[in-house]
């Protein structure tokens, strides 16, 4: 089927099998290898991307639901020249070991901070449930707090206690279309 | 000076190009008997770091690039352990260049920089400590000799008396002459041959700029911005996707396969039946997977195993025993009454690394190139060559970054399967496991059973101690450990890793390893037998300390041999206890547990501080002290300790594989209960001690004490002694 | 079986305001095709009946959120119109047919009493510590639709339907017996202010509810167990029961919790990995 959506800020149209998971559309059809295959069952989080600002596990997201959606992958998050605060924090804290799960954690964290720039440890525990086998969790927690600092410094947000998280998400993705959910 | 510099035109200097052929010819010839024996003992209880491969010709190992970077071809693979960064530091210091100029890449086997064995055993940095620095120093000396020759030629052959200096890859003689390494390499290239200088004496450790410093990982950017560096990310022009039909049941062999429904499916290029397997090749991965689902395979199994069957096999007293340690007469001393006895068990463990196994193979034109994550490029090459009927040097293995290793990639039949599919269709084929296949066809950490026995003397000291351990195979049946070597050793060095009694001042002590052959593949899992063996020994030590009415830490120190033999062990024990403020009592709903181990000559001690929440242990803080010798990159040594703590918590508290109706289960994260961020300690304090002045094993030793420390803390808090992993 | 949180949170006093996320789950009525005439007729009747029942229930047990106090109460209190013995028997049979379905894990798993969705026929806690959160759609970076899309996904085995989310706490069915579930379901104070018409629609037409009869397969291709009653039988039973005024029969021993709602998880709790 023919699908038009926004990928990392650019309009894309492609012809693909609607049952094909977004993961493989990204990796094999669009050659964006930053989104990883870990389990194919939405259990590990290595394939996490953003769809309309929400963290989504792309291995369980059929391509047919892409129509009109706004997708961000790790490649669209930041660059070495202009890293996203989460990437900046990941570098400062030297988080990765093997590195394979890290894109998913970075994307999940970015989605969290877009809605809650002052996450508590409990917030982190609830929201970030990806799997890392190397055990980089200790540094990840530090990096998430550091990224939150950087996020707050970059855009002094209204008091999180009075700001609805959902508004923060919308602010981060002003072009998000009315999602069919 | 600037005038001189202009004499040298900029171009690519491919050192390897000139010296290229020599490496490939080395082949397997260097796998000599003595080296084998060295490696054999290196992998045993006291590791002697060694590198099994050619390390005499720096032109094989280094390339100087056009932009004055130095590329190091590493025979060791990077699986997260930080080896590449440490190698860059070692090379930079002896080459006298900034570490930022060093680029480390995986050596393809065709380069000739081939490790005789594997990346494993925590030996990469330790094993390359001498040879890599010597190679770098030799390259530097060769380049400097060329510079000296240039310097002698200036001033119309009168030369210069200006002192020579080297700064960041530039050799200068006052203001008269300045030559970069790139320029010098060009001069040497122009001569048509490289005459290597004698290897100069290595620098003193104190003189190193980068060694011993927490240099950021050199692969940080690639890993934070999603560069396609893993085997799973490999692609090739015209590539197709393969999938292999794999059985669910243990020991199943293929009887027949009905592929008719799959043949006409969209994108299907070919169904390949070869020897013992059926594979599909299709245009996309999902088409290949869909077609595979449409194939009906009939399998034959001898029987359907259950966990209980496996547990009945893994019992001390079953299988083949071998005494691996004996001092005094433990058996005699343990006759009669008053023997303290306890049994411990550990379950089947999965590697569960995040990147599944697979390969991209191009087996056309009488050769094969296989791009993949592997810990054993040489073994992979030889196996592919054998299956395809090729000479080893017709096969090139292109190792990529590994999305986790942990021992999982020491067996690589996936390379063969991809190559067979590629040859069948005449195109490059990429073929990867599904996660279910990854779980069911893992080479698992074997389950274990331990019987600990001891007798306490009237003075409260241990008179005799015996450890009987039963385990499935680790080294046996492994391609990196030939059967002959196992026969020479008589016991499984992997299974008994950590199984010897480290309290050698106990007058009578003995350890016996019972070997059991299981119906499914078991093999190397990070730290091998260390985690389970230490769980048994160190839980038991706490039990004995309580019986002797002594503090667990003091009790251990009392049984460590006197210095110098026990000095390093003693220091890590004291350091961990002190750093944690260890106390032998529960307080405020929390309690501490202590344990220590020595692995490959690296002693480590851990204190965990935990509470119980809803009946589940909640680990708060972990204090770890370790003496790996010189930490080439202390930050990455710490990272290995932190990672080992998390992996140890995960494996000790939660993980277990079961056998149900003949199948290994579970087959997915979640049901395979791995620690998540919320289960990781909020704080891991690592204290590093350098007791040797040279690098020793790092990646596995810190895993040793984790399980026992957890069990000891749970006991202290709840009064319940848990003797079976997983604990929660 | 999953309820629409917007409806329920809106109607529940003290609940958080409905989510303001764009495009999420407009109220059921606005998204559904026109109801059938049958439904309209039945619904109108039931609505009148229900109003009386609800006020009666509210008076009887103001401090009894689970309606446990109704045990032994005359059924007439809930069904204002006197039914003939035949009608009563028919309604009772319909009630139990309906409840055979509603107490299946496909329904109860997402009507938990602890905010934690359940999974599998064993109704064990959702893996990875997933819980519904205040807005019942998950947490900031772990929305239900991080994994669950608008339909079942054959590749990953992740189930999906439009509006995938958790029923609110007021609609907790887990651990309740059939009669308590029915009371809760028909109580506007707990059901999000739904009329009997709304309930009929929810139970027989809503996509998230109907998912139970097309639950797809898991990640290994093994089909999930649908409710033990065929969809049309179930629908007919719901219509019959509501048309009769949603009478709740006398308790039977077989209806106790545990006989129709799985309790203790067979696998480790959700907070374990």
């Amino acid at each position: 089927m023919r699908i038009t959506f926004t990928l990392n800020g650019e309009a894309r149209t492609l012809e693909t099998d609607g049952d094909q998971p977004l993961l493989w559309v990204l990796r094999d059809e669009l050659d964006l290898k930053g989104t990883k295959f870990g389990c194919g069952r939405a259990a590990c989080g290595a394939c996490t991307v953003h769809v309309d600002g929400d963290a989504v596990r792309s291995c369980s997201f059929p391509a047919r639901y892409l129509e009109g959606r706004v997708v961000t992958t790790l490649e669209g998050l930041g660059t070495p020249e202009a890293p996203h605060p989460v990437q900046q924090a990941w570098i400062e804290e030297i988080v990765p070991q093997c590195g394979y799960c890290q894109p998913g954690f970075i994307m999940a964290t970015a989605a969290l901070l877009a809605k809650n720039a002052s996450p508590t440890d409990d917030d982190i525990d609830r929201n970030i449930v990806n799997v890392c086998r190397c055990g980089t969790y200790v540094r990840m927690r530090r990096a998430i707090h550091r990224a939150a600092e950087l996020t707050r410094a970059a855009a002094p947000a209204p008091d999180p206690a009075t700001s609805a998280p959902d508004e923060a998400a919308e602010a981060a993705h002003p072009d998000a279309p009315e999602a069919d959910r | 000076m600037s005038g001189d510099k202009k004499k040298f035109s900029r171009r690519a200097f491919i050192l390897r190009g000139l010296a290229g052929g020599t490496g490939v010819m080395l082949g397997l010839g260097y796998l000599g008997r003595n080296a084998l024996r060295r490696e054999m003992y290196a992998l045993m209880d006291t590791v002697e770091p060694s590198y099994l491969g050619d390390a005499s010709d720096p032109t094989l190992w280094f390339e100087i690039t056009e932009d004055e970077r130095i590329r190091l071809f590493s025979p060791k693979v990077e699986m997260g352990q930080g080896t590449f960064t440490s190698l860059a530091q070692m090379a930079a210091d002896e080459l006298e260049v900034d570490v930022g100029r060093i680029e480390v890449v995986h050596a393809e086997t065709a380069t000739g920089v081939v490790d005789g064995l594997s990346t494993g055993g925590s030996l990469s940095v330790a094993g390359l400590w001498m040879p890599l620095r010597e190679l770098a120093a030799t390259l530097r000396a060769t380049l400097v000799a060329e510079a000296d020759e240039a310097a002698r030629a200036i001033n119309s052959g009168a030369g210069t008396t200006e002192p020579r200096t080297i700064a960041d890859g530039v050799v200068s003689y006052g203001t008269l002459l300045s030559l970069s390494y790139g320029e010098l390499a060009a001069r040497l290239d122009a001569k048509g041959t490289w005459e290597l200088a004698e290897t100069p004496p290595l620098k003193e450790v104190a003189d190193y700029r980068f060694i011993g410093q927490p240099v950021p990982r050199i692969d940080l950017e690639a890993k934070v911005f999603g560069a396609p560096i893993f085997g799973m990310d490999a692609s090739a022009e015209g590539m197709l996707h393969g999938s292999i039909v794999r059985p669910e049941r243990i020991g199943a062999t293929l009887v027949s396969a009905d592929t008719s429904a799959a043949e006409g499916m969209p994108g299907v290029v070919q169904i390949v039946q070869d020897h013992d397997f059926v594979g599909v090749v299709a245009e996309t991965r999902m088409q290949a997977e869909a077609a595979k689902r449409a194939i009906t395979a009939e399998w034959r199994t001898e029987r359907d195993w259950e966990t209980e069957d496996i547990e009945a096999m893994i019992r001390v007293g079953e299988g083949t025993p071998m005494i691996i340690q004996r001092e005094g007469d433990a058996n005699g001393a343990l006759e009669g009454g008053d023997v303290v006895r306890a049994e411990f068990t550990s379950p089947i463990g999965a590697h569960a690394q995040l990147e599944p196994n697979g390969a991209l193979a191009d087996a056309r034109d009488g050769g094969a190139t296989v791009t993949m994550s592997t810990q054993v490029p040489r073994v992979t090459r030889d196996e592919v060559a054998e299956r395809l009927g090729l000479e080893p040097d017709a096969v090139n293995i292109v190792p990529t970054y590994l999305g986790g290793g942990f021992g999982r990639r020491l067996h690589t039949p996936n390379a063969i399967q991809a190559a067979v599919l590629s040859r069948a269709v005449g195109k490059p084929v990429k073929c990867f496991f599904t996660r279910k296949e990854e779980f069911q066809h893992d080479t698992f950490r074997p389950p274990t059973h331990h019987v600990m026995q001891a007798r306490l003397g009237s003075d409260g000291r241990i008179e005799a101690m015996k450890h009987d351990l039963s385990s499935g195979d680790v080294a046996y049946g492994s391609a990196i450990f030939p059967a002959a070597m196992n026969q020479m050793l008589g016991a499984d060095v992997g299974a008994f890793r950590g199984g010897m009694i480290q309290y050698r001042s106990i007058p009578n002590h003995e350890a016996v390893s019972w070997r059991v052959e299981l119906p499914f593949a078991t093999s190397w899992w990070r730290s091998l037998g260390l985690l389970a063996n230490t769980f048994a020994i160190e839980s038991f030590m706490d039990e004995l300390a309580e019986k002797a009415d002594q503090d667990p830490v003091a009790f251990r120190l009392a049984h460590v041999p006197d210095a110098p033999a026990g000095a390093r062990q003693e220091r890590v024990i004291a350091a961990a206890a002190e750093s944690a403020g260890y106390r032998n009592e529960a307080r405020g709903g929390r309690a501490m547990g202590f344990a220590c181990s020595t692995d490959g000559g690296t002693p480590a001690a851990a204190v965990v501080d935990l509470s119980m929440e809803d009946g589940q242990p909640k680990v708060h803080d972990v204090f770890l002290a370790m003496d790996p010798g010189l930490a080439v990159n202390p930050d990455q040594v710490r990272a290995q300790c932190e990672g080992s703590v998390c992996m140890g918590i995960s494996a000790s508290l939660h993980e277990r594989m079961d056998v149900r109706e003949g199948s290994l289960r579970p087959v997915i994260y979640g049901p395979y209960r791995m620690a998540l961020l919320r289960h990781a300690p909020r704080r891991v304090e690592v204290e590093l001690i350098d007791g040797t002045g040279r690098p020793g094993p790092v990646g596995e030793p810190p895993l040793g004490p984790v399980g026992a420390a957890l069990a000891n803390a749970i006991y202290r808090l709840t009064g319940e002694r848990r003797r079976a992993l997983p604990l929660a | 079986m999953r309820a629409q949180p917007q409806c329920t949170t809106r109607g529940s006093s003290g609940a958080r305001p409905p989510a303001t996320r764009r495009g999420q789950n407009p109220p059921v009525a606005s998204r559904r095709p026109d109801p059938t005439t049958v439904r309209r007729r039945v619904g109108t009747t039931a609505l009148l009946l229900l109003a009386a029942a609800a006020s009666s229930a509210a008076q009887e047990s103001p401090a009894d959120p689970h309606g446990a106090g109704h045990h032994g109460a005359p059924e007439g209190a809930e069904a204002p119109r006197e039914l003939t013995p035949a009608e009563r028997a028919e309604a009772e049979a319909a009630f139990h047919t309906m409840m055979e379905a509603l107490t299946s894990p496909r329904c109860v798993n997402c009507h938990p009493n602890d905010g934690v969705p359940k999974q599998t026929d064993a109704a064990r806690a959702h893996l990875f510590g997933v819980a519904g959160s205040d807005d019942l759609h998950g947490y900031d970076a772990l929305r239900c639709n991080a994994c669950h899309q608008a339909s079942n996904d054959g590749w990953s085995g992740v189930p999906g339907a439009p509006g995938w989310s958790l029923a609110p706490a007021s609609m907790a069915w887990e651990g309740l017996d059939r009669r308590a579930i029915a009371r809760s379901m028909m109580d506007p104070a707990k059901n999000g202010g739904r009329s009997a018409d709304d309930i009929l629609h929810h139970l027989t037409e809503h996509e998230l509810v109907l998912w139970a009869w097309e639950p797809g397969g898991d990640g290994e291709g093994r089909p999930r167990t649908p409710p033990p009653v065929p969809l049309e039988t179930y629908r007919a039973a719901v219509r019959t029961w509501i048309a009769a005024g949603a009478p709740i029969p006398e308790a039977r021993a077989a209806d106790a919790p545990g006989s129709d709602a799985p309790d203790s998880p067979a696998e480790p709790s959700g907070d374990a990995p």
Side-chain angles (χ1 to χ4, degrees):
Chain A
M1 63 185 286
R2 190 178 169 83
I3 292 165
T4 301
F5 68 111
T6 304
L7 176 61
N8 296 333
E10 285 179 34
R12 303 295 286 256
T13 298
L14 54 93
E15 190 69 36
T16 192
D17 170 6
D19 286 342
Q20 169 109 318
L22 171 59
L23 170 65
W24 300 107
V25 174
L26 293 170
R27 287 184 57 85
D28 285 350
E29 296 185 27
L30 301 170
D31 199 28
L32 291 172
K33 299 290 206 295
T35 306
K36 302 301 182 192
F37 168 75
C39 70
R41 287 183 57 186
C44 75
C47 66
T48 303
V49 299
H50 297 171
V51 177
D52 298 340
D54 281 340
V56 163
R57 295 182 171 188
S58 60
C59 73
S60 67
F61 188 99
R64 63 178 173 278
Y65 295 129
L66 274 178
E67 184 63 38
R69 310 292 280 270
V70 176
V71 177
T72 305
T73 68
L74 184 67
E75 290 89 344
L77 198 67
T79 61
E81 296 71 35
H84 185 279
V86 177
Q87 291 168 312
Q88 176 64 34
W90 244 246
I91 288 168
E92 287 178 18
E93 298 293 342
I94 315 182
V95 175
Q97 290 188 25
C98 91
Y100 196 81
C101 70
Q102 304 286 328
F105 275 97
I106 291 171
M107 294 305 286
T109 301
L112 170 63
L113 297 183
K115 296 174 185 180
N116 177 3
S118 303
T120 62
D121 279 324
D122 284 347
D123 290 335
I124 292 169
D125 287 348
R126 269 195 294 271
N127 279 278
I128 310 298
V129 298
N130 297 17
V131 177
C132 169
R133 187 44 146 175
C134 297
T136 62
Y137 295 129
V138 181
R139 292 186 186 205
M140 270 182 196
R141 185 182 300 279
R142 277 210 302 270
I144 294 168
H145 286 302
R146 174 64 184 143
E149 264 175 41
L150 292 168
T151 303
R152 293 193 299 267
D159 180 4
T162 59
S163 156
D166 299 320
E167 287 167 13
E170 288 182 351
H173 293 274
D175 300 329
E178 288 297 316
D180 178 22
R181 278 176 285 187
Chain B
M1 182 197 83
S2 59
D4 288 325
K5 206 167 185 175
K6 282 177 189 161
K7 290 179 186 170
F8 305 99
S9 60
R10 285 256 167 219
R11 62 181 182 82
F13 308 113
I14 310 297
L15 304 193
R16 270 189 318 119
L18 293 172
T22 57
V24 182
M25 289 190 295
L26 289 170
L28 291 172
Y30 53 76
L31 259 177
R33 185 179 166 79
N34 288 335
L36 271 176
R37 181 169 286 157
R38 241 193 354 262
E39 190 63 21
M40 173 175 99
Y41 289 122
L43 281 165
M44 292 176 65
D45 199 51
T46 311
V47 171
E48 181 188 328
S50 58
Y51 170 68
L52 204 63
D54 177 70
S56 60
D57 184 352
T59 68
L60 286 176
W61 287 63
F62 291 103
E63 178 177 286
I64 301 176
T65 68
E66 195 172 5
D67 58 352
E68 300 283 355
R69 292 172 66 78
I70 296 175
R71 188 170 292 152
L72 164 59
F73 293 85
S74 170
K76 297 291 185 183
V77 298
E78 177 58 65
M79 48 193 180
Q81 80 281 40
T83 291
F84 273 16
T85 307
S86 295
L87 298 187
Q89 291 171 258
M90 284 150 60
D93 267 332
E94 282 297 340
L95 281 165
E96 298 189 25
V97 299
D98 190 272
V99 71
R101 284 193 192 281
I102 309 281
E103 178 188 333
V104 185
V105 298
H106 291 97
E108 303 177 11
T109 56
T111 63
V113 182
V114 182
D115 192 349
L117 283 175
S118 70
T119 300
S122 305
L123 290 170
S124 295
V125 170
L128 286 172
W129 171 243
M130 288 305 289
L132 179 63
R133 288 183 306 143
E134 287 180 348
L135 284 160
T138 306
L139 177 60
R140 183 195 73 224
T142 303
L143 293 165
V144 166
E146 182 63 22
D148 283 350
E149 192 180 302
R152 282 193 295 275
I154 63 171
N155 292 332
S156 308
T160 173
T161 55
E162 290 282 339
R164 184 185 67 214
T165 56
I166 306 175
D168 196 14
V170 178
V171 187
S172 301
Y173 302 81
T175 54
L176 288 175
L177 179 64
S178 193
L179 292 164
S180 72
Y181 282 0
E183 289 161 345
L184 292 165
R187 288 173 59 105
L188 286 159
D189 272 4
K191 291 179 176 176
T193 181
W194 282 61
E195 199 167 310
L196 295 177
E198 288 291 309
T199 301
L202 298 177
K203 298 173 192 294
E204 295 295 321
V205 168
D207 294 334
Y208 286 134
R209 282 176 61 203
F210 302 110
I211 290 171
Q213 299 303 312
V215 173
R217 291 183 68 103
I218 63 172
D219 52 10
L220 201 45
E221 189 175 299
K223 289 177 176 177
V224 168
F225 295 95
I229 57 173
F230 299 101
M232 187 81 206
D233 300 336
S235 61
E237 188 71 29
M239 178 178 85
L240 297 172
H241 294 263
S243 188
I244 306 291
V245 180
R246 294 186 171 91
E248 287 200 26
R249 276 162 209 265
I250 292 168
T253 50
L254 185 64
V255 175
S256 64
D258 178 359
T259 61
S260 53
E263 273 152 18
M265 288 179 66
V268 171
V269 174
Q270 196 172 326
I271 311 286
V272 181
Q273 298 216 30
D274 183 287
H275 291 59
D276 53 349
F277 77 87
V278 183
V280 181
V281 180
E283 284 165 15
T284 72
R285 177 184 166 101
M286 296 325 254
Q287 285 169 342
E289 288 299 322
K292 180 171 74 179
R293 289 184 181 189
I295 293 174
T296 311
E298 188 193 332
W299 305 93
R300 180 174 51 236
T301 49
E302 297 289 317
R303 59 176 288 186
D304 278 351
W305 297 88
E306 297 288 336
T307 294
E308 293 71 22
D309 301 326
I310 305 302
E311 286 173 351
M313 296 173 76
I314 300 287
R315 298 296 299 176
V316 167
E318 305 288 325
T320 317
M322 182 65 68
I323 297 164
I324 55 169
Q325 183 190 32
R326 174 179 268 177
E327 183 71 40
D329 179 11
N331 291 318
L334 289 169
E335 276 172 19
D338 295 334
V339 172
V340 186
R341 187 177 189 280
E343 296 185 29
F344 300 85
T345 59
S346 75
I348 307 165
H351 288 91
Q353 84 294 341
L354 265 287
E355 183 200 16
N357 276 285
L360 164 61
D362 186 350
R364 293 178 291 184
D365 307 327
T369 302
V370 186
T371 307
M372 62 185 292
S373 296
T374 171
Q375 289 176 250
V376 282
R378 181 190 66 81
V379 172
T380 305
R381 177 193 66 186
D382 296 351
E383 288 179 351
V384 169
E386 188 183 353
R387 179 64 170 262
L388 296 185
L390 299 169
E391 290 301 313
D393 62 6
V395 175
N396 186 24
I397 303 301
V398 183
T400 61
Y401 279 86
L402 280 63
F406 314 112
R408 176 66 181 102
R409 304 184 204 275
L410 293 164
H411 297 262
T412 57
N414 39 302
I416 296 170
Q417 291 157 354
V420 168
L421 294 182
S422 170
R423 176 179 270 189
V425 298
K427 287 192 172 172
V429 173
K430 183 172 171 179
C431 182
F432 272 76
F433 280 61
T434 63
R435 180 51 59 182
K436 177 179 175 179
E437 291 165 349
E438 187 66 48
F439 267 106
Q440 293 199 316
H441 297 269
D442 196 355
T443 51
F444 299 91
R445 187 187 70 225
T448 62
H449 173 238
H450 312 256
V451 177
M452 299 295 314
Q453 298 177 81
R455 178 192 294 282
L456 285 165
S458 53
D459 56 355
R461 291 178 60 88
I462 306 170
E463 270 179 18
M465 182 184 265
K466 187 176 181 195
H467 176 208
D468 280 276
L469 70 101
S470 169
S471 169
D473 289 342
V474 175
Y476 278 84
S478 165
I480 60 167
F481 232 77
M485 200 184 300
N486 283 311
Q487 278 170 8
M488 284 163 65
L489 291 167
D492 191 310
V493 298
F496 74 65
R497 184 109 163 207
M500 296 185 194
I501 290 157
Q502 59 184 323
Y503 301 103
R504 302 213 167 124
S505 69
I506 299 171
N508 307 290
H509 58 263
E510 181 168 318
V512 180
S513 180
W514 297 75
R515 183 194 166 213
V516 176
E517 289 180 79
L518 293 173
F520 55 90
T522 56
S523 188
W524 319 91
W525 187 98
R526 188 183 193 175
S527 91
L528 321 181
L530 178 71
L531 180 70
N533 286 320
T534 306
F535 167 62
I537 296 173
E538 286 291 290
S539 294
F540 193 58
M541 280 300 282
D542 256 34
E543 295 189 49
L544 292 175
E546 188 179 30
K547 289 212 185 308
D549 198 21
Q550 291 184 40
D551 174 81
V553 174
F555 185 70
R556 284 175 172 84
L557 287 171
H559 292 91
V560 170
D562 292 338
R568 295 173 65 212
Q569 208 177 336
E570 209 172 283
R571 280 174 70 186
V572 299
I573 292 172
E578 190 183 338
S579 139
Y582 178 83
R583 53 173 195 276
N584 187 26
E585 60 183 4
R587 191 182 295 170
R590 283 162 72 154
M592 290 181 174
F594 184 93
C596 59
S597 59
T598 300
D599 182 49
T602 296
V607 175
V608 306
D609 181 5
L610 55 72
S611 63
M612 298 295 283
E613 289 177 13
D614 301 326
Q616 293 283 311
K618 166 89 182 160
V619 183
H620 299 280
D621 303 327
V622 176
F623 304 87
L624 195 119
M626 183 165 89
D627 176 2
L630 173 67
V632 171
N633 187 323
D635 176 68
Q636 284 307 300
V637 174
R638 286 173 197 281
Q640 286 301 292
C641 291
E642 294 161 9
S644 290
V645 164
C646 291
M647 191 167 174
I649 288 172
S650 186
S652 305
L653 291 184
H654 306 299
E655 297 173 26
R656 71 171 286 153
M657 292 294 292
D658 270 300
V659 182
R660 290 288 168 242
E661 294 173 354
S663 295
L664 281 145
R665 295 204 156 260
V667 299
I668 185 67
Y669 300 112
Y672 190 71
R673 305 170 64 211
M674 274 162 63
L676 305 178
L677 226 163
R678 74 167 66 100
H679 304 100
R682 296 279 164 90
R683 180 173 168 216
V684 177
E685 295 287 336
V686 176
E687 183 160 344
L688 298 178
I689 298 166
D690 175 5
T692 66
R694 58 167 294 163
V698 165
E700 296 167 285
L703 206 60
V706 179
L710 289 165
N712 291 338
I714 291 170
Y715 173 76
R716 195 133 301 121
L717 190 60
T718 66
E720 184 192 345
R721 173 56 67 181
R722 300 188 187 178
R723 296 193 182 90
L725 296 182
L727 298 165
Chain C
M1 182 151 311
R2 291 149 182 86
Q4 279 296 329
Q6 278 70 20
C7 303
T8 55
T9 48
R10 202 172 289 140
S12 305
S13 64
R16 221 179 83 136
T20 55
R21 302 173 57 76
R22 287 188 182 192
Q24 272 197 345
N25 304 315
V28 174
S30 72
R31 332 177 42 189
R32 297 304 311 162
D34 280 342
T36 63
T37 41
V38 171
R39 201 193 119 227
R40 204 189 300 275
R41 189 179 66 241
V42 171
T44 308
T45 313
L47 185 66
L48 294 169
L49 299 174
L50 189 76
S55 75
S56 155
Q59 282 168 4
E60 280 186 17
S61 57
D64 184 7
H66 290 241
H70 282 268
H71 285 293
E75 292 306 326
E78 272 143 328
R81 179 169 71 82
E82 276 301 317
L83 298 174
T84 66
E87 285 172 330
R88 180 177 294 273
E90 186 189 29
E92 181 164 343
F95 171 85
H96 286 293
T97 301
M98 173 182 76
M99 281 299 168
E100 286 291 323
L102 295 186
T103 54
S104 95
R106 292 295 79 73
C107 300
V108 178
N109 278 0
C110 281
H111 282 261
N113 59 17
D114 56 0
V116 176
K118 306 301 185 294
Q119 294 179 312
T120 77
D121 289 351
R124 59 137 171 79
H126 195 298
L127 295 167
F128 306 106
V130 167
S133 80
D134 290 348
D135 78 350
L136 307 169
H137 280 266
Y139 299 120
D140 289 331
L142 192 64
R143 312 289 297 161
C144 298
N145 57 29
C147 303
H148 301 276
Q149 306 309 327
S151 56
N152 296 324
D153 181 53
W155 285 116
S156 62
V158 177
W164 194 270
S165 56
L166 209 56
S170 70
M171 298 185 191
W173 291 358
E174 188 182 21
L176 299 189
D177 66 19
R178 296 174 175 200
R179 301 169 70 248
I181 289 173
R183 254 184 226 110
S184 167
M185 197 165 71
M186 302 310 291
D187 179 354
K190 291 179 186 166
N191 72 11
R194 282 189 172 94
S195 65
D197 189 33
D198 293 337
I199 292 293
L200 175 69
H201 177 253
H202 176 75
L203 291 179
T204 58
E205 300 293 333
H206 194 264
E207 288 164 299
L208 198 47
V209 173
L210 299 188
W211 168 87
W213 278 268
E214 287 181 10
D218 70 8
E220 296 184 60
R222 295 174 301 207
R224 288 189 185 83
T225 317
V229 180
L231 177 58
E232 289 314 318
T233 309
Y234 155 82
R235 277 175 156 156
V238 176
R239 289 187 194 112
T240 301
W241 180 65
I242 290 199
I248 299 174
E250 297 291 339
R252 308 188 307 199
D255 303 336
S259 65
D260 55 13
D263 42 22
S264 58
E267 288 186 47
S269 79
D271 196 48

